[in-house]
Each structure stands twice: as C-alpha cells, then as structure tokens.
C-alpha cells in the first residue's frame, strides 16, 4: 500500500501553516515572534503544536515511538481528519459496520463522503466477505470499533487483521473502550500492518472526557499527514498540563478500571434477573446493551426517575435495547432500585 496514492490530491500538494514556534530551533529567551501578550504567564503563550512532552509520556505508556502518535481534540478529531485527508468528496467512500459509533457517519456526511454500512452478524461479529464486497477502488477507509459501541463486544482479532491484509486502503480500529478489554488491543500489530490505524481516548478509562484528548497511532508517514492538516494549536495548554498530571496516575486509573469491570459484571448478572429483561449482552466495555420488553417505556420511566440511559431501540440489531453506562456502585444501585419498582 502506497499511502501517497491513497491521499487526496489537494492534501498531497498542501503547504501546511507554519507557526512562529515551528520556524526556530534553539534556546531563545525573548519571544517576540507570535504576537502574544507578555502578561498572564503561562497562558499568554501558544501551546506546543506537537505536544512533545505529553507524547513522551504516552509513548512510554503505550510502548510506541512519539512519531507514531497523533493527539487530537478527542478521538473525534482524527476520525474527521482521516476522512478529510483521504476521501475526495462526492467520489471516494468509506465502509463501516452496523451498528457502531455514530461519528463515522456524521464526519463522512460533513465531508460529503459516502459511508457504506455493513451489518454485523447476529452475534455482533464481522462478516469479512460482506465488508470486502462493499469496497471498490474508491474505498479509502474501513472504520471498525472494538470493543464496539453500542454492542459492547470485542471484534474477532483474526478477522480484523484479515481485513487489514486484504484491503488496499486504511483499516481504522477505534479502541475507545480497550482499557476495559484486557489483552484485546491491536497495538502490537501496528508494526506488522502499515495500513492499520488505532484510535484510543482519554475519555473513558482515564476519566478525562472533559479535557478532550484523543489519540491516533499509526505509521510515521500517516501521523505526519494528520499533523500536516490539523489546526496548528489543536490541543490547548490546559489540556496538555492536565494530561501530564493524570498520566502520572496510572495506578489510580487501573483501580478505576478494575472497579468498573467488577461493577459491570455485577450489573450484568443483576439486570438479567429482571422479568422484563430479555438479554444482557456480554460486554468488554464500560456499558451494557440490554434487550428488554418495552425498552422505550422503561427508558421514559427512568427519565421520570431522574436516571438517563441511552435508548438504542431504533438502532440496527439493537431493537428493544437500552445502552446502560456502568456508574459507581451508588449510581448503579439507584438504577436497580428504580427498576425494582417496576416488578
Ligand atoms: N469512539 C467511540 C467508539 C466512542 O464511543 C466515543 C465516545 N462516545 C468516541 C470515539 C469519542 O471519544 P472522544 O471523547 O475521545 O472524542
């Protein structure tokens, strides 16, 4: 696969914005280059456009080189950038699974790029032949999500790698929930599959949805392309500072993840006992997809009780199902108490 052949012509020819800080190297003392205000340190200064310090820490954590990391304003940013870099509006297309995370569709729609959905099997797994059958010479990207949102299961690893083997474009694996699925990441495969891109986020296991910090991992060349087209200062100083602090709290995060997995397993059992629950799908994420009689009615009842879950009953393969995030034990208890009143 030649990445350059996949790239849109205008991106190939793009001369990226060059910021003041990009144009010097060395130890300067006086910065009169960027029209900043000398007062209100340190927030008067533009942030590091390549977030070098944050990437150094993430590189150690994820066992990759810093040049294989892209950082974005949530992982929604690389989703959008990948489509904009590779897909010519009105001509190229992307393929994804159904059901899955809604932003692939929204990002494609915003860019005027066709998105083709391929149904998962009844047990929420990939059908590789169906996926490859939807691709053509204008298919640039395949978006997969594992563990998948809203189904909660991890996709079969061999099937994902087989797709990466057979497809001529990029295969993007969205691993937003991977910290809840020990041993399932495809990160070690990155070096063997140059067309693989992995997305992760600090919004879930790391508890930092509010600071907006997402990651894309891929070949040096691919990361270079994303860096070339991103907003120059896409991550602000506050986010970078907070990330530096939280990246030192790996042990705390591991405790949260352990607790949430234990709560998830408990909720899986307890929810299955309700007479109106048809099925609790096994999950490797921090949520459960629960099929029940009259899901919409129960959703509305829970809203009245002040408890908000996600109604997925109109989503393909998810009829009569609610997606329930795993909260702390008190929050989960509130949900169970409210549901008990229905019996
Ligand atoms: N991917 C998936 C599968 C998600 O469910 C979400 C958020 N719900 C995201 C990406 C977006 O994450 P971020 O907050 O990093 O933009």
């Amino acid at each position: 696969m030649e990445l350059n052949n996949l790239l849109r012509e205008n991106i190939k020819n793009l001369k990226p914005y060059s910021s003041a800080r990009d144009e010097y190297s060395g130890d300067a003392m006086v910065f009169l280059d960027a029209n900043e205000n000398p007062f209100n340190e340190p927030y008067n200064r533009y942030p590091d456009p390549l977030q070098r310090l944050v990437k150094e820490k993430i590189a150690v954590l994820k066992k990759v080189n810093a040049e294989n990391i892209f950082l974005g304003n949530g992982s929604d940013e690389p989703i959008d950038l990948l489509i904009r870099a590779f897909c010519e509006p009105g001509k190229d297309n992307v393929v994804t699974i159904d059901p899955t995370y809604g932003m692939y569709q929204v990002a494609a729609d915003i860019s005027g790029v066709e998105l083709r959905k391929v149904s998962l099997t009844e047990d929420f797994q990939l059908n590789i032949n169906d996926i490859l059958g939807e691709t053509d010479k204008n298919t640039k990207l395949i978006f997969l999500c594992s563990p998948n949102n809203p189904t909660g299961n991890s996709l079969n690893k061999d099937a994902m790698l087989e797709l990466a083997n057979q497809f001529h474009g990029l295969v993007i694996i969205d691993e937003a929930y991977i910290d809840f699925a020990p041993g399932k990441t495809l990160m070690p495969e990155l070096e063997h599959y140059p067309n693989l891109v992995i997305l992760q986020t600090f919004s879930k296991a790391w508890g930092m949805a509010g600071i907006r910090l997402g990651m894309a991992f891929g070949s040096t060349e691919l990361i270079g392309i994303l860096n070339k087209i991103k907003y120059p200062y896409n991550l602000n100083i506050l986010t970078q500072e907070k990330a530096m602090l939280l990246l030192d709290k790996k042990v705390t995060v591991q405790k949260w993840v352990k607790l949430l997995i234990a709560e998830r397993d408990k909720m899986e059992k307890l929810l299955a006992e309700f007479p109106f629950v048809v099925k609790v799908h096994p999950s490797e994420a921090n949520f459960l997809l629960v099929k029940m009689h009259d899901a919409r009615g129960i959703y509305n009842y829970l809203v009245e009780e002040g408890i908000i879950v996600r109604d997925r009953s109109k989503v393909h393969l998810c009829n009569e199902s609610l997606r329930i995030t795993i909260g702390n034990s008190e929050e989960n208890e509130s949900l169970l108490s409210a549901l008990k009143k229905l019996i």
Side-chain angles (χ1 to χ4, degrees), residues 184-222:
K184 294 291 172 75
T185 180
L186 288 194
M187 288 291 286
E189 305 298 337
L190 274 179
E191 55 181 317
H192 308 300
Y193 295 83
N195 63 336
L196 206 58
V197 183
I198 295 182
L199 307 180
Q200 294 188 1
T201 179
F202 283 87
S203 295
K204 312 294 174 185
W206 285 79
M208 293 201 264
I211 72 166
R212 311 303 301 129
L213 181 56
M215 298 164 273
F217 303 97
S219 68
T220 313
E221 202 185 349
L222 184 271

Side-chain angles (χ1 to χ4, degrees), residues 31-51:
F31 288 101
L32 300 176
D33 55 349
N35 299 344
E36 294 155 335
N37 187 322
F39 306 112
N40 200 31
E41 289 263 331
Y43 304 106
N44 57 334
R45 299 294 174 196
Y46 283 102
D48 174 5
L50 288 174
Q51 309 102 15

Side-chain angles (χ1 to χ4, degrees), residues 84-135:
R84 282 201 278 143
F86 293 99
C87 301
E88 197 59 44
K91 178 177 163 224
D92 292 330
N93 66 75
V94 304
V95 170
T96 192
I97 51 178
D98 192 18
T100 194
Y101 180 46
M103 271 310 283
Y104 317 135
Q105 175 85 65
V106 175
D109 286 349
I110 291 170
S111 282
V113 167
E114 180 194 357
L115 178 126
R116 301 176 178 177
K117 291 181 182 180
V118 178
S119 179
L120 291 175
T121 58
E122 285 292 324
D123 60 350
F124 300 147
Q125 282 300 332
L126 295 175
N127 184 327
I128 312 184
N129 290 336
D130 286 359
I131 293 178
L132 288 171
E134 274 303 308
T135 63

Side-chain angles (χ1 to χ4, degrees), residues 73-77 79 101 104 145 147 149 174 176-177 200-204 209 212-214 323:
N73 189 309
S75 41
D76 285 344
E77 181 178 353
I79 292 170
Y101 180 46
Y104 317 135
C145 183
N149 177 5
D174 186 341
Y177 299 96
Q200 294 188 1
T201 179
F202 283 87
S203 295
K204 312 294 174 185
R212 311 303 301 129
L213 181 56
R323 193 194 70 192

